[in-house]
Amino acid sequence: MTRIHLSKRAVGVKAHGLLLLMLGVAMLLHSSCKRQSGTDQSFFPASNEVAGWAKTGEIRTFEAADLWKYIDGEAERYLKDGARRVSTTDYKFHNKVDATADIYTMGSAEGAEKIFKSEPAVDVKPIQMGDEARLSSQSLVFCKGAYLVRIVAFEESAETQQVLLQLGHGIELRLVR
Amino acid sequence: MGELMIVMDSTGRRRFLKKCLAGVLLGTSGRMGLLAAGEQGASLAKSRVVIARDALLRGAGTTVDSRRMLSLLDCAMQALFDRDNPIEAWKKLVRPGETVGLKVNALGGRGFSSNLQLVEAICERLQEAGIRANDIVVWDRDTDELEHAGFHVSTGGNSVQCFGTDRVDYEPDLVTHGSVGSRLSKILTQRCNVLINVPVLKDHDGAGVSVALKNMYGVIHNPNKYHPNGCNPYIADLNMLPEIRTTMRLTICDATTASYEGGPGYKPEYSWKNNALIVSQDPVALDYTGWQIIEHKRVEKGLKTLEADGRAPHYIATAADAQHRLGTNDPRRIAVVEV
């Protein structure tokens, strides 16, 4: 009965508390969501911002604690070198080349460089992009500051490398040191 | 396989298999499938690992040709079960009325997940062997990952089912063996009484390689807990769980595209078009064989061996040891048949 006969002030305080609680829960859900919005979203060029490339997927972000959900088996290596999160999305070039772009946000430039250098330079050629970069027939990897970017194409064609470079430059321009 | 006659008469086929077996590269008795165990003599015979190749699997393009994939699968299954007809081979494995789960690997996304044409071919042959379409479940941990890998999600109706554990959840209770304590996918525990493992041949940063046994990380809720120490003894302990061990009848490893470095994620620069399937009822022998294939590729590419790189897959020996006996890692007891 006591709870029924609450004063207006008590009701107001309770409602305020409930609102705060709901806000807290919403923030908690938001922070653990796979498809959250975040600053990394702005690193991905929109459709046709890079000529011919359409962004075909939503941006998914995996925080450090959930990195294994995206790269199970490799997450430990990234975490060891200070990975904070990865954001990923899909692109398509003129219905010819499909690609996935991953942007890893590391804790420092050293962390990004360590991951980059830990991968052997087999069947790849070094190129000028970011701090360091390498290109293969179907992939482009580069680091810039605390970011490591990996773009993987699923089709190999005469133009794949060229268009990967164009998309890579589009991302590079958006990365803030 | 491009030059191999898929359909042989009985004498020709036996002569062919005899020739293959005479040229055995590696050599066991592993755990045989439920239906095959009696005939093959699980404790005496070598474990047969069939490597089926087709250099023309993709024709002139990059996509696997469905018709050639079906032929390649038939070739592998006939060689494994020593049968003239692919349906007869499948009937050695499954019976009408059984519910069959195809545990694929969709973690690698579109470029590096279990091949769609392979899964379609398996489903086709299972149905021809008497399994109803809706008694077949193609599954992995996450529905979104399956879709992203190109699988068509299907729940209900009379078609082959395809969805992730996220749709049905994990069992509420932990099951344990040795170092492992996990909740199992309800797809495994409630939707299938036969498990066919369809992994991808991969290098693995933690385990060294990821082939058959490691693919079972996708049936539990906490795989991220089992990566220390090269996933050893976690992989072996996990595969000891009765729910896995008693339902697993066959591994059909998709080695059409394989990786020798940088795994388990897809990195095209460290992958190659291998155009092969590796099939066995002994997952340890299959993993051992897959490991050797990856090592050969690493040598060819001028990389250190996994051992020298500090990443030898020690979990394979653990899976074969006296405490596990999941199969054999003794090359003298593995019969590799190349077709």
Side-chain angles (χ1 to χ4, degrees):
Chain A
M1 293 299 286
T2 324
R3 294 178 66 182
I4 292 171
H5 296 288
L6 289 170
S7 67
K8 276 188 181 176
R9 180 180 166 78
V11 170
V13 168
K14 202 168 176 88
H16 186 68
L18 189 65
L19 194 67
L20 282 173
L21 182 69
M22 287 169 69
L23 191 65
V25 169
M27 285 175 70
L28 196 67
L29 287 173
H30 180 74
S31 66
S32 62
C33 183
K34 273 170 89 171
R35 293 170 185 80
Q36 65 186 45
S37 59
T39 52
D40 291 358
Q41 290 208 14
S42 60
F43 298 153
F44 292 105
S47 290
N48 290 316
E49 190 177 320
V50 178
W53 280 102
K55 194 164 86 60
T56 57
E58 57 186 320
I59 296 169
R60 297 181 296 157
T61 297
F62 298 84
E63 297 294 333
D66 286 334
L67 205 58
W68 66 276
K69 291 179 180 173
Y70 185 56
I71 50 167
D72 193 25
E74 287 180 88
E76 288 79 4
R77 184 163 69 96
Y78 282 80
L79 292 172
K80 190 177 152 200
D81 290 327
R84 291 184 175 169
R85 74 185 65 84
V86 60
S87 292
T88 179
T89 194
D90 296 331
Y91 284 91
K92 186 183 276 285
F93 181 79
H94 285 317
N95 289 322
K96 292 179 191 167
V97 179
D98 290 281
T100 295
D102 298 336
I103 302 176
Y104 291 87
T105 305
M106 309 297 290
S108 65
E110 290 71 31
E113 186 187 12
K114 274 184 84 174
I115 294 287
F116 182 87
K117 288 191 183 304
S118 70
E119 298 175 356
V122 179
D123 294 337
V124 296
K125 59 181 178 188
I127 56 160
Q128 292 291 320
M129 188 177 292
D131 300 328
E132 285 181 277
R134 57 175 170 255
L135 181 69
S136 79
S137 59
Q138 282 181 250
S139 70
L140 168 65
V141 185
F142 69 92
C143 51
K144 179 178 178 181
Y147 301 102
L148 180 88
V149 178
R150 188 185 306 281
I151 310 175
V152 167
F154 299 105
E155 291 82 18
E156 187 176 356
S157 70
E159 61 184 339
T160 298
Q161 285 192 330
Q162 188 56 38
V163 298
L164 279 180
L165 282 172
Q166 290 164 0
L167 181 58
H169 278 301
I171 293 174
E172 185 201 6
L173 288 172
R174 287 170 155 260
L175 294 177
V176 187
R177 280 187 189 274
Chain B
M1 199 199 69
E3 297 173 2
L4 177 70
M5 271 182 66
I6 303 299
V7 181
M8 299 183 190
D9 62 28
S10 181
T11 310
R13 180 181 50 77
R14 291 210 163 79
R15 199 165 48 231
F16 160 72
L17 285 176
K18 195 174 172 184
K19 190 178 170 186
C20 289
L21 289 166
V24 160
L25 297 173
L26 313 162
T28 186
S29 68
R31 185 172 60 88
M32 296 296 175
L34 297 179
L35 297 182
E39 187 182 64
Q40 296 200 32
S43 62
L44 297 173
K46 287 184 174 184
S47 282
R48 186 178 291 183
V49 177
V50 174
I51 303 174
R53 293 183 193 279
D54 179 1
L56 301 176
L57 189 63
R58 298 163 204 264
T62 55
T63 307
V64 168
D65 179 274
S66 297
R67 187 185 54 79
R68 295 195 77 96
M69 174 56 86
L70 186 62
S71 296
L72 187 65
L73 177 66
D74 287 347
C75 192
M77 289 296 287
Q78 287 174 237
L80 184 68
F81 288 101
D82 196 18
R83 286 292 176 273
D84 295 324
N85 179 298
I87 311 304
E88 292 304 314
W90 281 99
K91 284 181 175 173
K92 293 271 292 171
L93 190 77
V94 293
R95 293 192 183 105
E98 290 184 317
T99 51
V100 182
L102 303 185
K103 169 60 181 73
V104 298
N105 188 313
L107 188 65
R110 188 182 142 192
F112 209 33
S113 296
S114 303
N115 181 269
L116 298 180
Q117 289 83 1
L118 170 61
V119 174
E120 285 169 4
I122 296 169
C123 291
E124 183 177 333
R125 288 298 187 234
L126 280 171
Q127 290 173 70
E128 287 168 345
I131 305 296
R132 285 192 301 265
N134 58 1
D135 280 341
I136 301 170
V137 187
V138 177
W139 66 286
D140 200 357
R141 63 179 190 176
D142 187 83
T143 306
D144 283 350
E145 284 177 0
L146 284 163
E147 281 191 305
H148 203 242
F151 289 95
H152 175 66
V153 172
S154 170
T155 56
N158 291 322
S159 59
V160 170
Q161 308 293 288
C162 178
F163 53 91
T165 298
D166 58 304
R167 292 285 176 96
V168 292
D169 209 353
Y170 296 91
E171 292 287 351
D173 298 324
L174 287 176
V175 286
T176 61
H177 183 94
S179 60
V180 165
S182 295
R183 295 163 56 205
L184 291 168
S185 167
K186 287 182 180 175
I187 301 175
L188 173 67
T189 57
Q190 299 182 16
R191 294 295 296 265
C192 47
N193 51 28
V194 175
L195 195 55
I196 297 177
N197 193 5
V198 192
V200 176
L201 181 63
K202 296 179 182 184
D203 170 84
H204 191 281
D205 185 54
V209 298
S210 173
V211 202
L213 296 166
K214 174 70 176 59
N215 197 35
M216 290 301 104
Y217 271 37
V219 315
I220 53 174
H221 82 293
N222 57 348
N224 55 318
K225 304 295 181 191
Y226 303 140
H227 285 116
N229 195 43
C231 304
N232 189 28
Y234 308 105
I235 292 177
D237 285 348
L238 174 63
N239 280 270
M240 288 295 285
L241 294 174
E243 293 84 352
I244 295 174
R245 195 170 187 179
T246 60
T247 51
M248 181 70 73
R249 288 195 193 165
L250 178 70
T251 300
I252 302 174
C253 174
D254 170 15
T256 56
T257 298
S259 72
Y260 58 88
E261 171 69 23
Y266 181 47
K267 298 182 180 66
E269 60 270 38
Y270 307 130
S271 304
W272 83 104
K273 302 281 188 281
N274 191 44
N275 295 323
L277 301 178
I278 312 172
V279 183
S280 183
Q281 291 191 283
D282 180 339
V284 183
L286 193 149
D287 277 20
Y288 180 86
T289 306
W291 172 27
Q292 302 311 306
I293 292 170
I294 288 172
E295 289 287 30
H296 278 116
K297 197 67 184 179
R298 291 179 65 86
V299 169
E300 186 185 313
K301 291 291 182 180
L303 295 180
K304 288 183 204 169
T305 63
L306 290 171
E307 182 87 56
D309 202 31
R311 295 195 293 128
H314 295 299
Y315 78 84
I316 297 176
T318 303
D321 71 18
Q323 284 72 48
H324 295 84
R325 296 185 190 279
L326 287 162
T328 186
N329 67 333
D330 180 351
R332 295 165 303 178
R333 300 183 67 205
I334 301 173
V336 175
V337 180
E338 298 206 49
V339 295

